[in-house]
Amino acid sequence: MQRIAVLTSGGDSPGMNAAIRAVVRKAIYHGLEVIGIQRGFSGFVEADMGPMNLGSVADIIHRGGTILRTARSEEFKTPEGRAKAYANVQRFGIQGLVVIGGDGSFKGADMFNNEYNLPVVGVPGTIDNDITGTEYSIGFDTAINTVVEAINKIRDTATSHERTFILEVMGRESGYIALMAGLAGGAESILIPELRHSMDEVCEKLIRGYKRGKLHSIIIVAEGAASGLDVGKQIREKTGLETKVTILGHLQRGGTPTAFDRILASRMGAKAVEMLMEGFRKHMVGMLEDKIVAGALDTAFNGKRPINMEIYNLANILSI
Ligand code: F6P
């Protein structure tokens, strides 16, 4: 193998730049050439790509977002779009591809490999941490730290005004951000899409807390479980308590990556290059029990990642 390409696809996540840096530097270290593809699969289809060198990835390890830009390409979902991408594979002499993104991006890479047999390795990069086959995806740690920081700030106001705050967080169909940030932030209730919730129980817990002398309450709602505004309205109607709703939105996707995410990204990016060099053809990198491992690419999108019930139960016990 002489030349590989790298792209970032789907929603950006903090640490993607550190992963790009690792791919480029590890590949060059081993004498490979690297092509950087702009705007994910869109740039793959439109030949928006060019060579990268050691300097192309200087001064990016600490930056959020992705220097390669990212997109969700509709054209790549069509056979015609993928045929155009394959023409670019031939034109640029690409012999292997590293895709940094979420399960949707892995699905696209898997389909492309089935049709054109180009070796692909997926590196999980998404704040959602919803990818089966890895305990952590790049960006998740930074995102939950951002949410925890927001909880800390809101807690000041919640206590001062003795109010109930509802915080809606991202995660798409996954409750991982809500669960982990909820535990770390000491939330009273955490609503996640993986588990049924009863608003009556949420309200009873709130009332119990206030009767016991609690000054404030914070409820974390994963966007996939319910709308924060609806939850706020229901609590107000059922309890008469004043509720304030904050939707954190895209600020959870940005920011300088934590040390954890930079280390994870560096290890995963380097592993992806090793895997291509070793002949892996349709695989993903994962982190399992602190080891960086290779897994089948379709592990990521065949089946939903189960929520960690031990953590959920613990969060419930500690917020009694
Ligand atoms: O997958 C990352 C994510 O931020 C999800 O948590 C969220 O549902 C979605 O992307 C938002 O997508 P967009 O940036 O396209 O609005």
Side-chain angles (χ1 to χ4, degrees):
M1 184 164 289
Q2 275 187 320
R3 187 175 295 161
I4 64 167
V6 58
L7 61 80
T8 48
S9 165
D12 66 328
S13 70
M16 277 185 164
N17 279 329
I20 297 168
R21 173 180 178 270
V23 170
V24 171
R25 296 223 165 140
K26 174 83 172 167
I28 292 175
Y29 174 83
H30 288 291
L32 304 182
E33 292 168 22
V34 187
I35 304 279
I37 302 175
Q38 298 285 324
R39 296 179 295 106
F41 291 115
S42 300
F44 201 24
V45 172
E46 293 158 18
D48 190 0
M49 56 182 89
M52 298 187 83
N53 56 37
L54 294 175
S56 330
V57 290
D59 199 28
I60 64 167
I61 195 166
H62 60 300
R63 293 187 203 282
T66 156
I67 58 160
L68 288 175
R69 314 280 177 258
T70 184
R72 295 188 173 105
S73 168
E74 286 308 313
E75 205 180 352
F76 191 72
K77 289 183 187 154
T78 66
E80 297 75 26
R82 291 193 295 277
K84 279 194 201 169
Y86 186 61
N88 294 328
V89 166
Q90 291 176 308
R91 179 175 152 203
F92 287 84
I94 296 167
Q95 294 160 325
L97 175 67
V98 178
V99 173
I100 305 167
D103 55 354
S105 311
F106 287 9
K107 215 180 256 181
D110 183 80
M111 201 182 286
F112 194 70
N113 172 278
N114 290 340
E115 289 171 352
Y116 295 107
N117 207 22
L118 178 76
V120 291
V121 172
V123 173
T126 164
I127 63 164
D128 299 338
N129 207 27
D130 58 348
I131 300 184
T132 310
T134 187
E135 281 156 12
Y136 289 99
S137 57
I138 298 164
F140 171 67
D141 185 65
T142 308
I144 59 171
N145 275 290
T146 301
V147 175
V148 169
E149 208 180 305
I151 296 175
N152 293 345
K153 288 182 175 160
I154 278 175
R155 192 179 274 281
D156 290 346
T157 304
T159 312
S160 307
H161 287 265
E162 302 177 34
R163 277 176 183 162
T164 303
F165 270 85
I166 291 99
L167 229 86
E168 183 189 304
V169 301
M170 277 188 167
R172 209 179 283 275
E173 293 305 314
S174 163
Y176 259 96
I177 295 179
L179 177 60
M180 297 307 211
L183 175 64
E188 270 62 37
S189 292
I190 304 169
L191 310 188
I192 55 175
E194 289 84 354
L195 298 171
R196 188 198 64 85
H197 64 266
S198 140
M199 282 313 296
D200 285 337
E201 280 170 25
V202 170
C203 292
E204 278 162 26
K205 194 171 183 185
L206 270 178
I207 300 292
R208 261 202 322 270
Y210 281 116
K211 282 192 177 149
R212 222 182 58 229
K214 265 193 177 179
L215 291 180
H216 66 269
S217 284
I218 291 172
I219 295 165
I220 307 288
V221 182
E223 63 175 352
S227 128
L229 288 168
D230 281 352
V231 170
K233 188 162 166 267
Q234 284 186 52
I235 293 177
R236 210 163 41 243
E237 284 168 2
K238 280 180 193 286
T239 64
L241 290 167
E242 184 185 9
T243 57
K244 295 282 175 187
V245 180
T246 303
I247 300 170
L248 289 185
H250 285 85
L251 69 81
Q252 295 161 95
R253 284 244 293 267
T256 184
T258 57
F260 180 91
D261 273 330
R262 296 181 203 193
I263 294 165
L264 182 69
S266 302
R267 294 176 78 192
M268 284 184 160
K271 177 77 175 179
V273 174
E274 269 169 28
M275 284 164 61
L276 283 175
M277 286 168 50
E278 284 166 14
F280 285 82
R281 302 191 66 80
K282 196 165 54 162
H283 289 80
M284 63 172 276
V285 185
M287 185 191 202
L288 298 174
E289 295 174 356
D290 203 36
K291 291 200 170 52
I292 303 296
V293 296
L297 192 61
D298 62 5
T299 320
F301 49 88
N302 285 339
K304 192 170 158 48
R305 186 166 179 216
I307 205 76
N308 185 329
M309 282 308 293
E310 199 186 315
I311 303 243
Y312 182 80
N313 290 333
L314 178 64
N316 259 336
I317 291 170
L318 301 185
S319 62
I320 201 160

